[in-house]
PDB file of all heavy atoms in Angstrom:
ATOM      1  N   GLY R 119      89.019-142.418-111.364  1.00 89.00           N
ATOM      2  CA  GLY R 119      89.130-141.001-111.691  1.00 89.00           C
ATOM      3  C   GLY R 119      88.692-140.656-113.106  1.00 89.00           C
ATOM      4  O   GLY R 119      89.191-139.709-113.700  1.00 89.00           O
ATOM      5  N   LEU R 120      87.764-141.414-113.648  1.00 91.00           N
ATOM      6  CA  LEU R 120      87.260-141.172-115.003  1.00 91.00           C
ATOM      7  C   LEU R 120      86.289-140.002-115.010  1.00 91.00           C
ATOM      8  O   LEU R 120      85.673-139.692-113.992  1.00 91.00           O
ATOM      9  CB  LEU R 120      86.543-142.427-115.516  1.00 91.00           C
ATOM     10  CG  LEU R 120      87.374-143.698-115.600  1.00 91.00           C
ATOM     11  CD1 LEU R 120      86.486-144.890-115.916  1.00 91.00           C
ATOM     12  CD2 LEU R 120      88.467-143.548-116.634  1.00 91.00           C
ATOM     13  N   PRO R 121      86.094-139.379-116.170  1.00 93.00           N
ATOM     14  CA  PRO R 121      85.095-138.312-116.266  1.00 93.00           C
ATOM     15  C   PRO R 121      83.705-138.868-115.932  1.00 93.00           C
ATOM     16  O   PRO R 121      83.375-139.997-116.296  1.00 93.00           O
ATOM     17  CB  PRO R 121      85.157-137.879-117.733  1.00 93.00           C
ATOM     18  CG  PRO R 121      86.447-138.416-118.254  1.00 93.00           C
ATOM     19  CD  PRO R 121      86.787-139.611-117.432  1.00 93.00           C
ATOM     20  N   GLN R 122      82.895-138.060-115.271  1.00 92.00           N
ATOM     21  CA  GLN R 122      81.571-138.510-114.841  1.00 92.00           C
ATOM     22  C   GLN R 122      80.707-138.946-116.021  1.00 92.00           C
ATOM     23  O   GLN R 122      79.945-139.898-115.911  1.00 92.00           O
ATOM     24  CB  GLN R 122      80.860-137.431-114.030  1.00 92.00           C
ATOM     25  CG  GLN R 122      79.584-137.920-113.375  1.00 92.00           C
ATOM     26  CD  GLN R 122      79.828-139.077-112.402  1.00 92.00           C
ATOM     27  OE1 GLN R 122      80.722-139.020-111.564  1.00 92.00           O
ATOM     28  NE2 GLN R 122      79.050-140.150-112.510  1.00 92.00           N
ATOM     29  N   SER R 123      80.836-138.291-117.157  1.00 95.00           N
ATOM     30  CA  SER R 123      80.027-138.670-118.320  1.00 95.00           C
ATOM     31  C   SER R 123      80.361-140.095-118.771  1.00 95.00           C
ATOM     32  O   SER R 123      79.468-140.857-119.160  1.00 95.00           O
ATOM     33  CB  SER R 123      80.219-137.684-119.468  1.00 95.00           C
ATOM     34  OG  SER R 123      81.586-137.664-119.874  1.00 95.00           O
ATOM     35  N   LEU R 124      81.621-140.482-118.706  1.00 93.00           N
ATOM     36  CA  LEU R 124      82.027-141.840-119.071  1.00 93.00           C
ATOM     37  C   LEU R 124      81.532-142.842-118.030  1.00 93.00           C
ATOM     38  O   LEU R 124      81.014-143.910-118.380  1.00 93.00           O
ATOM     39  CB  LEU R 124      83.542-141.940-119.225  1.00 93.00           C
ATOM     40  CG  LEU R 124      84.099-143.320-119.575  1.00 93.00           C
ATOM     41  CD1 LEU R 124      83.457-143.854-120.852  1.00 93.00           C
ATOM     42  CD2 LEU R 124      85.608-143.257-119.708  1.00 93.00           C
ATOM     43  N   ILE R 125      81.642-142.498-116.764  1.00 92.00           N
ATOM     44  CA  ILE R 125      81.139-143.373-115.696  1.00 92.00           C
ATOM     45  C   ILE R 125      79.635-143.587-115.871  1.00 92.00           C
ATOM     46  O   ILE R 125      79.144-144.714-115.785  1.00 92.00           O
ATOM     47  CB  ILE R 125      81.463-142.796-114.303  1.00 92.00           C
ATOM     48  CG1 ILE R 125      82.968-142.885-114.051  1.00 92.00           C
ATOM     49  CG2 ILE R 125      80.684-143.530-113.207  1.00 92.00           C
ATOM     50  CD1 ILE R 125      83.433-142.203-112.787  1.00 92.00           C
ATOM     51  N   ASP R 126      78.889-142.519-116.139  1.00 94.00           N
ATOM     52  CA  ASP R 126      77.444-142.628-116.337  1.00 94.00           C
ATOM     53  C   ASP R 126      77.116-143.558-117.506  1.00 94.00           C
ATOM     54  O   ASP R 126      76.203-144.384-117.418  1.00 94.00           O
ATOM     55  CB  ASP R 126      76.817-141.253-116.580  1.00 94.00           C
ATOM     56  CG  ASP R 126      76.862-140.367-115.340  1.00 94.00           C
ATOM     57  OD1 ASP R 126      77.086-140.892-114.228  1.00 94.00           O
ATOM     58  OD2 ASP R 126      76.692-139.138-115.507  1.00 94.00           O
ATOM     59  N   HIS R 127      77.882-143.434-118.583  1.00 95.00           N
ATOM     60  CA  HIS R 127      77.664-144.300-119.748  1.00 95.00           C
ATOM     61  C   HIS R 127      77.930-145.765-119.390  1.00 95.00           C
ATOM     62  O   HIS R 127      77.130-146.643-119.723  1.00 95.00           O
ATOM     63  CB  HIS R 127      78.566-143.874-120.910  1.00 95.00           C
ATOM     64  CG  HIS R 127      78.609-144.882-122.011  1.00 95.00           C
ATOM     65  ND1 HIS R 127      77.553-145.086-122.883  1.00 95.00           N
ATOM     66  CD2 HIS R 127      79.561-145.782-122.358  1.00 95.00           C
ATOM     67  CE1 HIS R 127      77.866-146.048-123.720  1.00 95.00           C
ATOM     68  NE2 HIS R 127      79.075-146.494-123.426  1.00 95.00           N
ATOM     69  N   ILE R 128      79.015-146.042-118.730  1.00 93.00           N
ATOM     70  CA  ILE R 128      79.369-147.413-118.361  1.00 93.00           C
ATOM     71  C   ILE R 128      78.313-147.995-117.423  1.00 93.00           C
ATOM     72  O   ILE R 128      77.871-149.135-117.597  1.00 93.00           O
ATOM     73  CB  ILE R 128      80.776-147.466-117.733  1.00 93.00           C
ATOM     74  CG1 ILE R 128      81.829-147.100-118.796  1.00 93.00           C
ATOM     75  CG2 ILE R 128      81.067-148.846-117.144  1.00 93.00           C
ATOM     76  CD1 ILE R 128      83.221-146.860-118.228  1.00 93.00           C
ATOM     77  N   LEU R 129      77.880-147.222-116.440  1.00 93.00           N
ATOM     78  CA  LEU R 129      76.859-147.699-115.496  1.00 93.00           C
ATOM     79  C   LEU R 129      75.539-148.005-116.206  1.00 93.00           C
ATOM     80  O   LEU R 129      74.832-148.943-115.826  1.00 93.00           O
ATOM     81  CB  LEU R 129      76.629-146.667-114.392  1.00 93.00           C
ATOM     82  CG  LEU R 129      77.785-146.473-113.408  1.00 93.00           C
ATOM     83  CD1 LEU R 129      77.492-145.293-112.482  1.00 93.00           C
ATOM     84  CD2 LEU R 129      78.048-147.738-112.615  1.00 93.00           C
ATOM     85  N   ALA R 130      75.216-147.243-117.233  1.00 95.00           N
ATOM     86  CA  ALA R 130      73.948-147.425-117.941  1.00 95.00           C
ATOM     87  C   ALA R 130      73.978-148.589-118.928  1.00 95.00           C
ATOM     88  O   ALA R 130      72.920-149.099-119.305  1.00 95.00           O
ATOM     89  CB  ALA R 130      73.581-146.142-118.686  1.00 95.00           C
ATOM     90  N   THR R 131      75.168-149.033-119.325  1.00 95.00           N
ATOM     91  CA  THR R 131      75.247-150.027-120.388  1.00 95.00           C
ATOM     92  C   THR R 131      75.870-151.356-119.964  1.00 95.00           C
ATOM     93  O   THR R 131      76.049-152.246-120.801  1.00 95.00           O
ATOM     94  CB  THR R 131      76.044-149.474-121.591  1.00 95.00           C
ATOM     95  OG1 THR R 131      77.348-149.073-121.148  1.00 95.00           O
ATOM     96  CG2 THR R 131      75.325-148.293-122.220  1.00 95.00           C
ATOM     97  N   HIS R 132      76.189-151.498-118.691  1.00 96.00           N
ATOM     98  CA  HIS R 132      76.789-152.737-118.203  1.00 96.00           C
ATOM     99  C   HIS R 132      76.048-153.229-116.963  1.00 96.00           C
ATOM    100  O   HIS R 132      75.327-152.477-116.327  1.00 96.00           O
ATOM    101  CB  HIS R 132      78.281-152.531-117.902  1.00 96.00           C
ATOM    102  CG  HIS R 132      79.068-152.237-119.136  1.00 96.00           C
ATOM    103  ND1 HIS R 132      79.512-153.215-119.977  1.00 96.00           N
ATOM    104  CD2 HIS R 132      79.461-151.068-119.681  1.00 96.00           C
ATOM    105  CE1 HIS R 132      80.160-152.666-120.995  1.00 96.00           C
ATOM    106  NE2 HIS R 132      80.133-151.355-120.838  1.00 96.00           N
ATOM    107  N   THR R 133      76.257-154.481-116.611  1.00 97.00           N
ATOM    108  CA  THR R 133      75.525-155.111-115.517  1.00 97.00           C
ATOM    109  C   THR R 133      76.373-155.146-114.254  1.00 97.00           C
ATOM    110  O   THR R 133      77.494-155.670-114.258  1.00 97.00           O
ATOM    111  CB  THR R 133      75.122-156.545-115.901  1.00 97.00           C
ATOM    112  OG1 THR R 133      74.371-156.496-117.108  1.00 97.00           O
ATOM    113  CG2 THR R 133      74.296-157.199-114.810  1.00 97.00           C
ATOM    114  N   ASP R 134      75.819-154.632-113.176  1.00 97.00           N
ATOM    115  CA  ASP R 134      76.477-154.656-111.870  1.00 97.00           C
ATOM    116  C   ASP R 134      76.684-156.112-111.450  1.00 97.00           C
ATOM    117  O   ASP R 134      75.767-156.933-111.550  1.00 97.00           O
ATOM    118  CB  ASP R 134      75.595-153.925-110.854  1.00 97.00           C
ATOM    119  CG  ASP R 134      76.262-153.683-109.519  1.00 97.00           C
ATOM    120  OD1 ASP R 134      76.916-154.606-108.984  1.00 97.00           O
ATOM    121  OD2 ASP R 134      76.103-152.575-108.995  1.00 97.00           O
ATOM    122  N   VAL R 135      77.871-156.419-110.984  1.00 97.00           N
ATOM    123  CA  VAL R 135      78.196-157.785-110.557  1.00 97.00           C
ATOM    124  C   VAL R 135      77.212-158.303-109.511  1.00 97.00           C
ATOM    125  O   VAL R 135      76.933-159.500-109.453  1.00 97.00           O
ATOM    126  CB  VAL R 135      79.666-157.865-110.058  1.00 97.00           C
ATOM    127  CG1 VAL R 135      79.873-157.026-108.807  1.00 97.00           C
ATOM    128  CG2 VAL R 135      80.092-159.300-109.830  1.00 97.00           C
ATOM    129  N   SER R 136      76.632-157.422-108.730  1.00 97.00           N
ATOM    130  CA  SER R 136      75.685-157.846-107.695  1.00 97.00           C
ATOM    131  C   SER R 136      74.423-158.472-108.282  1.00 97.00           C
ATOM    132  O   SER R 136      73.700-159.175-107.582  1.00 97.00           O
ATOM    133  CB  SER R 136      75.320-156.667-106.790  1.00 97.00           C
ATOM    134  OG  SER R 136      74.572-155.699-107.507  1.00 97.00           O
ATOM    135  N   GLU R 137      74.145-158.254-109.563  1.00 98.00           N
ATOM    136  CA  GLU R 137      72.957-158.792-110.223  1.00 98.00           C
ATOM    137  C   GLU R 137      73.181-160.168-110.852  1.00 98.00           C
ATOM    138  O   GLU R 137      72.230-160.835-111.259  1.00 98.00           O
ATOM    139  CB  GLU R 137      72.480-157.831-111.308  1.00 98.00           C
ATOM    140  CG  GLU R 137      71.997-156.506-110.775  1.00 98.00           C
ATOM    141  CD  GLU R 137      70.734-156.665-109.950  1.00 98.00           C
ATOM    142  OE1 GLU R 137      69.827-157.395-110.371  1.00 98.00           O
ATOM    143  OE2 GLU R 137      70.665-156.062-108.868  1.00 98.00           O
ATOM    144  N   LEU R 138      74.426-160.613-110.959  1.00 98.00           N
ATOM    145  CA  LEU R 138      74.712-161.834-111.709  1.00 98.00           C
ATOM    146  C   LEU R 138      74.108-163.092-111.095  1.00 98.00           C
ATOM    147  O   LEU R 138      73.660-163.985-111.826  1.00 98.00           O
ATOM    148  CB  LEU R 138      76.212-162.010-111.907  1.00 98.00           C
ATOM    149  CG  LEU R 138      76.891-160.932-112.763  1.00 98.00           C
ATOM    150  CD1 LEU R 138      78.343-161.320-113.020  1.00 98.00           C
ATOM    151  CD2 LEU R 138      76.161-160.682-114.050  1.00 98.00           C
ATOM    152  N   GLY R 139      74.073-163.195-109.778  1.00 98.00           N
ATOM    153  CA  GLY R 139      73.454-164.357-109.141  1.00 98.00           C
ATOM    154  C   GLY R 139      71.990-164.468-109.493  1.00 98.00           C
ATOM    155  O   GLY R 139      71.489-165.547-109.832  1.00 98.00           O
ATOM    156  N   ARG R 140      71.276-163.353-109.455  1.00 98.00           N
ATOM    157  CA  ARG R 140      69.854-163.339-109.811  1.00 98.00           C
ATOM    158  C   ARG R 140      69.663-163.705-111.279  1.00 98.00           C
ATOM    159  O   ARG R 140      68.794-164.517-111.626  1.00 98.00           O
ATOM    160  CB  ARG R 140      69.250-161.958-109.541  1.00 98.00           C
ATOM    161  CG  ARG R 140      67.774-161.848-109.936  1.00 98.00           C
ATOM    162  CD  ARG R 140      67.265-160.419-109.849  1.00 98.00           C
ATOM    163  NE  ARG R 140      68.015-159.480-110.663  1.00 98.00           N
ATOM    164  CZ  ARG R 140      67.889-159.362-112.000  1.00 98.00           C
ATOM    165  NH1 ARG R 140      67.045-160.127-112.666  1.00 98.00           N
ATOM    166  NH2 ARG R 140      68.604-158.470-112.663  1.00 98.00           N
ATOM    167  N   ILE R 141      70.473-163.149-112.139  1.00 98.00           N
ATOM    168  CA  ILE R 141      70.361-163.428-113.570  1.00 98.00           C
ATOM    169  C   ILE R 141      70.605-164.913-113.844  1.00 98.00           C
ATOM    170  O   ILE R 141      69.859-165.546-114.595  1.00 98.00           O
ATOM    171  CB  ILE R 141      71.343-162.541-114.369  1.00 98.00           C
ATOM    172  CG1 ILE R 141      70.875-161.082-114.299  1.00 98.00           C
ATOM    173  CG2 ILE R 141      71.489-163.022-115.802  1.00 98.00           C
ATOM    174  CD1 ILE R 141      71.893-160.080-114.782  1.00 98.00           C
ATOM    175  N   ALA R 142      71.627-165.476-113.217  1.00 98.00           N
ATOM    176  CA  ALA R 142      71.934-166.900-113.406  1.00 98.00           C
ATOM    177  C   ALA R 142      70.795-167.774-112.883  1.00 98.00           C
ATOM    178  O   ALA R 142      70.395-168.742-113.535  1.00 98.00           O
ATOM    179  CB  ALA R 142      73.239-167.259-112.712  1.00 98.00           C
ATOM    180  N   ALA R 143      70.258-167.421-111.726  1.00 98.00           N
ATOM    181  CA  ALA R 143      69.160-168.204-111.140  1.00 98.00           C
ATOM    182  C   ALA R 143      67.924-168.145-112.039  1.00 98.00           C
ATOM    183  O   ALA R 143      67.297-169.173-112.310  1.00 98.00           O
ATOM    184  CB  ALA R 143      68.830-167.692-109.739  1.00 98.00           C
ATOM    185  N   GLU R 144      67.576-166.964-112.514  1.00 97.00           N
ATOM    186  CA  GLU R 144      66.405-166.818-113.374  1.00 97.00           C
ATOM    187  C   GLU R 144      66.573-167.546-114.702  1.00 97.00           C
ATOM    188  O   GLU R 144      65.604-168.029-115.275  1.00 97.00           O
ATOM    189  CB  GLU R 144      66.106-165.336-113.624  1.00 97.00           C
ATOM    190  CG  GLU R 144      65.558-164.631-112.409  1.00 97.00           C
ATOM    191  CD  GLU R 144      65.321-163.148-112.633  1.00 97.00           C
ATOM    192  OE1 GLU R 144      65.532-162.648-113.768  1.00 97.00           O
ATOM    193  OE2 GLU R 144      64.921-162.475-111.672  1.00 97.00           O
ATOM    194  N   ALA R 145      67.815-167.640-115.182  1.00 96.00           N
ATOM    195  CA  ALA R 145      68.082-168.315-116.448  1.00 96.00           C
ATOM    196  C   ALA R 145      68.151-169.829-116.290  1.00 96.00           C
ATOM    197  O   ALA R 145      68.177-170.549-117.278  1.00 96.00           O
ATOM    198  CB  ALA R 145      69.394-167.808-117.042  1.00 96.00           C
ATOM    199  N   GLY R 146      68.187-170.304-115.047  1.00 95.00           N
ATOM    200  CA  GLY R 146      68.322-171.734-114.816  1.00 95.00           C
ATOM    201  C   GLY R 146      69.713-172.235-115.158  1.00 95.00           C
ATOM    202  O   GLY R 146      69.899-173.413-115.465  1.00 95.00           O
ATOM    203  N   ALA R 147      70.691-171.352-115.093  1.00 95.00           N
ATOM    204  CA  ALA R 147      72.067-171.722-115.429  1.00 95.00           C
ATOM    205  C   ALA R 147      72.670-172.617-114.350  1.00 95.00           C
ATOM    206  O   ALA R 147      72.317-172.511-113.181  1.00 95.00           O
ATOM    207  CB  ALA R 147      72.925-170.461-115.579  1.00 95.00           C
ATOM    208  N   ARG R 148      73.561-173.475-114.754  1.00 94.00           N
ATOM    209  CA  ARG R 148      74.308-174.281-113.787  1.00 94.00           C
ATOM    210  C   ARG R 148      75.633-173.615-113.445  1.00 94.00           C
ATOM    211  O   ARG R 148      76.177-173.818-112.379  1.00 94.00           O
ATOM    212  CB  ARG R 148      74.551-175.681-114.340  1.00 94.00           C
ATOM    213  CG  ARG R 148      73.264-176.490-114.421  1.00 94.00           C
ATOM    214  CD  ARG R 148      73.532-177.873-114.903  1.00 94.00           C
ATOM    215  NE  ARG R 148      73.542-177.843-116.371  1.00 94.00           N
ATOM    216  CZ  ARG R 148      73.718-178.883-117.142  1.00 94.00           C
ATOM    217  NH1 ARG R 148      73.941-180.063-116.621  1.00 94.00           N
ATOM    218  NH2 ARG R 148      73.685-178.770-118.451  1.00 94.00           N
ATOM    219  N   THR R 149      76.134-172.820-114.387  1.00 95.00           N
ATOM    220  CA  THR R 149      77.391-172.101-114.206  1.00 95.00           C
ATOM    221  C   THR R 149      77.260-170.733-114.845  1.00 95.00           C
ATOM    222  O   THR R 149      76.679-170.610-115.921  1.00 95.00           O
ATOM    223  CB  THR R 149      78.557-172.850-114.890  1.00 95.00           C
ATOM    224  OG1 THR R 149      78.680-174.146-114.322  1.00 95.00           O
ATOM    225  CG2 THR R 149      79.874-172.108-114.726  1.00 95.00           C
ATOM    226  N   LEU R 150      77.794-169.726-114.190  1.00 97.00           N
ATOM    227  CA  LEU R 150      77.884-168.399-114.780  1.00 97.00           C
ATOM    228  C   LEU R 150      79.351-168.006-114.806  1.00 97.00           C
ATOM    229  O   LEU R 150      80.043-168.119-113.796  1.00 97.00           O
ATOM    230  CB  LEU R 150      77.090-167.368-113.987  1.00 97.00           C
ATOM    231  CG  LEU R 150      77.105-165.989-114.656  1.00 97.00           C
ATOM    232  CD1 LEU R 150      75.720-165.371-114.628  1.00 97.00           C
ATOM    233  CD2 LEU R 150      78.134-165.073-114.060  1.00 97.00           C
ATOM    234  N   VAL R 151      79.832-167.581-115.960  1.00 97.00           N
ATOM    235  CA  VAL R 151      81.204-167.104-116.106  1.00 97.00           C
ATOM    236  C   VAL R 151      81.140-165.592-116.275  1.00 97.00           C
ATOM    237  O   VAL R 151      80.518-165.090-117.210  1.00 97.00           O
ATOM    238  CB  VAL R 151      81.912-167.741-117.323  1.00 97.00           C
ATOM    239  CG1 VAL R 151      83.336-167.208-117.453  1.00 97.00           C
ATOM    240  CG2 VAL R 151      81.914-169.260-117.211  1.00 97.00           C
ATOM    241  N   ALA R 152      81.764-164.876-115.353  1.00 97.00           N
ATOM    242  CA  ALA R 152      81.824-163.416-115.433  1.00 97.00           C
ATOM    243  C   ALA R 152      83.022-163.036-116.304  1.00 97.00           C
ATOM    244  O   ALA R 152      84.140-163.501-116.077  1.00 97.00           O
ATOM    245  CB  ALA R 152      81.973-162.812-114.042  1.00 97.00           C
ATOM    246  N   THR R 153      82.754-162.227-117.319  1.00 95.00           N
ATOM    247  CA  THR R 153      83.794-161.847-118.269  1.00 95.00           C
ATOM    248  C   THR R 153      83.639-160.374-118.618  1.00 95.00           C
ATOM    249  O   THR R 153      82.708-159.722-118.150  1.00 95.00           O
ATOM    250  CB  THR R 153      83.713-162.752-119.523  1.00 95.00           C
ATOM    251  OG1 THR R 153      84.812-162.465-120.374  1.00 95.00           O
ATOM    252  CG2 THR R 153      82.413-162.580-120.249  1.00 95.00           C
ATOM    253  N   HIS R 154      84.540-159.849-119.421  1.00 94.00           N
ATOM    254  CA  HIS R 154      84.504-158.437-119.820  1.00 94.00           C
ATOM    255  C   HIS R 154      84.330-157.584-118.561  1.00 94.00           C
ATOM    256  O   HIS R 154      83.394-156.796-118.425  1.00 94.00           O
ATOM    257  CB  HIS R 154      83.384-158.191-120.826  1.00 94.00           C
ATOM    258  CG  HIS R 154      83.427-156.834-121.452  1.00 94.00           C
ATOM    259  ND1 HIS R 154      84.445-156.441-122.292  1.00 94.00           N
ATOM    260  CD2 HIS R 154      82.592-155.782-121.353  1.00 94.00           C
ATOM    261  CE1 HIS R 154      84.231-155.202-122.675  1.00 94.00           C
ATOM    262  NE2 HIS R 154      83.106-154.775-122.124  1.00 94.00           N
ATOM    263  N   LEU R 155      85.242-157.795-117.609  1.00 94.00           N
ATOM    264  CA  LEU R 155      85.162-157.167-116.294  1.00 94.00           C
ATOM    265  C   LEU R 155      85.506-155.688-116.366  1.00 94.00           C
ATOM    266  O   LEU R 155      86.441-155.288-117.066  1.00 94.00           O
ATOM    267  CB  LEU R 155      86.122-157.868-115.334  1.00 94.00           C
ATOM    268  CG  LEU R 155      85.968-159.383-115.234  1.00 94.00           C
ATOM    269  CD1 LEU R 155      87.071-159.957-114.370  1.00 94.00           C
ATOM    270  CD2 LEU R 155      84.601-159.760-114.726  1.00 94.00           C
ATOM    271  N   SER R 156      84.762-154.900-115.614  1.00 93.00           N
ATOM    272  CA  SER R 156      85.034-153.471-115.557  1.00 93.00           C
ATOM    273  C   SER R 156      84.955-153.013-114.110  1.00 93.00           C
ATOM    274  O   SER R 156      83.915-153.198-113.474  1.00 93.00           O
ATOM    275  CB  SER R 156      84.007-152.717-116.408  1.00 93.00           C
ATOM    276  OG  SER R 156      84.280-151.338-116.379  1.00 93.00           O
ATOM    277  N   PRO R 157      86.001-152.478-113.549  1.00 93.00           N
ATOM    278  CA  PRO R 157      87.270-152.246-114.217  1.00 93.00           C
ATOM    279  C   PRO R 157      88.082-153.539-114.327  1.00 93.00           C
ATOM    280  O   PRO R 157      88.046-154.375-113.435  1.00 93.00           O
ATOM    281  CB  PRO R 157      87.974-151.237-113.318  1.00 93.00           C
ATOM    282  CG  PRO R 157      87.422-151.479-111.963  1.00 93.00           C
ATOM    283  CD  PRO R 157      86.006-151.961-112.174  1.00 93.00           C
ATOM    284  N   GLY R 158      88.796-153.653-115.411  1.00 87.00           N
ATOM    285  CA  GLY R 158      89.615-154.834-115.649  1.00 87.00           C
ATOM    286  C   GLY R 158      91.053-154.648-115.226  1.00 87.00           C
ATOM    287  O   GLY R 158      91.917-155.423-115.615  1.00 87.00           O
ATOM    288  N   ILE R 159      91.298-153.644-114.450  1.00 89.00           N
ATOM    289  CA  ILE R 159      92.654-153.346-113.984  1.00 89.00           C
ATOM    290  C   ILE R 159      92.836-153.990-112.610  1.00 89.00           C
ATOM    291  O   ILE R 159      92.155-153.599-111.654  1.00 89.00           O
ATOM    292  CB  ILE R 159      92.862-151.816-113.887  1.00 89.00           C
ATOM    293  CG1 ILE R 159      92.590-151.167-115.241  1.00 89.00           C
ATOM    294  CG2 ILE R 159      94.251-151.490-113.378  1.00 89.00           C
ATOM    295  CD1 ILE R 159      92.424-149.667-115.170  1.00 89.00           C
ATOM    296  N   PRO R 160      93.720-154.984-112.499  1.00 87.00           N
ATOM    297  CA  PRO R 160      93.891-155.682-111.216  1.00 87.00           C
ATOM    298  C   PRO R 160      94.208-154.750-110.042  1.00 87.00           C
ATOM    299  O   PRO R 160      93.799-155.023-108.920  1.00 87.00           O
ATOM    300  CB  PRO R 160      95.043-156.650-111.478  1.00 87.00           C
ATOM    301  CG  PRO R 160      94.996-156.888-112.950  1.00 87.00           C
ATOM    302  CD  PRO R 160      94.540-155.580-113.552  1.00 87.00           C
ATOM    303  N   ALA R 161      94.882-153.647-110.286  1.00 86.00           N
ATOM    304  CA  ALA R 161      95.186-152.715-109.195  1.00 86.00           C
ATOM    305  C   ALA R 161      93.921-152.039-108.672  1.00 86.00           C
ATOM    306  O   ALA R 161      93.846-151.650-107.513  1.00 86.00           O
ATOM    307  CB  ALA R 161      96.188-151.660-109.663  1.00 86.00           C
ATOM    308  N   ALA R 162      92.890-151.931-109.523  1.00 88.00           N
ATOM    309  CA  ALA R 162      91.634-151.294-109.114  1.00 88.00           C
ATOM    310  C   ALA R 162      90.707-152.299-108.450  1.00 88.00           C
ATOM    311  O   ALA R 162      90.033-151.982-107.469  1.00 88.00           O
ATOM    312  CB  ALA R 162      90.948-150.662-110.319  1.00 88.00           C
TER     313      ALA R 162
END
């Protein structure tokens, strides 16, 4: 229920979790640790 302007900002400046597998594969990573999670609220 955040203001749309804040949602737009967050979407423009953070990486969708769906992209992390591709990013890890392209980087040749053996492990990827997802951190700074948004939303970081366990209820959400």
Side-chain angles (χ1 to χ4, degrees):
L120 300 171
Q122 189 60 48
S123 61
L124 179 56
I125 290 173
D126 292 344
H127 168 73
I128 293 169
L129 291 173
T131 57
H132 294 278
T133 304
D134 189 316
V135 65
S136 67
E137 295 293 316
L138 296 187
R140 178 188 57 77
I141 291 168
E144 288 177 3
R148 290 183 275 182
T149 300
L150 184 136
V151 179
T153 186
H154 190 66
L155 307 174
S156 181
I159 303 165

